[in-house]
Amino acid sequence: MADNREAVGHGRLTVVHTETDDITVLGLDGEIDHQSVGGLTRALSRADTAAGRRVVVDLSQVTFMDSSGVNALIGAFHSTQTAQGWLRLVGARGAVLRTLQLVGLDTFVPFHPTLEDALAATDPHN
């Protein structure tokens, strides 16, 4: 398991980038809104460099997300699909989970309760 960590602070959002078995894991901590979404967008763009890219976004420490964060995740989903990879979300709860459910993101992006579950899933659509 390769573990390359880089913490990048962006106002109220911290992004930790980890590579695990050729899967990019982005651990987010804080709030995702129009002021902080740039940190998430940059981290997702860095994960967009290879064909077949696989990305897990850990939302377990995210306390707020507005439409800026939703749009960034939708864009990442489309990018990974275009490259024949996948995107999975982990640990969304409370208001963040409700926001993602209201826009229907949970109907096309797989949600997992834990990082271990997301990494162990073998079906790219789950």
Side-chain angles (χ1 to χ4, degrees):
M1 171 163 115
D3 187 5
N4 302 315
R5 293 180 176 264
E6 178 184 345
V8 183
H10 301 283
R12 295 180 307 249
L13 179 67
T14 300
V15 180
V16 176
H17 177 266
T18 307
E19 292 291 328
T20 303
D21 299 327
D22 294 324
I23 299 172
T24 299
V25 178
L26 299 177
L28 310 180
D29 187 350
E31 299 179 359
I32 306 170
D33 59 19
H34 70 281
Q35 293 179 334
S36 64
V37 75
L40 174 58
T41 303
R42 283 187 292 279
L44 289 167
S45 294
R46 288 173 75 208
D48 274 352
T49 59
R53 62 188 160 270
R54 302 175 299 165
V55 180
V56 174
V57 179
D58 185 347
L59 301 169
S60 61
Q61 298 301 311
V62 174
T63 57
F64 175 82
M65 180 184 296
D66 70 7
S67 61
S68 303
V70 172
N71 289 332
L73 293 174
I74 291 170
F77 171 78
H78 289 299
S79 292
T80 56
Q81 291 294 295
T82 299
Q84 300 187 350
W86 48 253
L87 173 71
R88 295 177 182 156
L89 302 179
V90 171
R93 63 183 197 284
V96 173
L97 176 59
R98 184 71 183 130
T99 298
L100 296 173
Q101 290 172 328
L102 282 171
V103 298
L105 199 66
D106 61 324
T107 63
F108 59 94
V109 176
F111 282 44
H112 292 270
T114 68
L115 180 58
E116 293 77 17
D117 291 335
L119 294 173
T122 56
D123 182 348
H125 303 291
N126 282 327

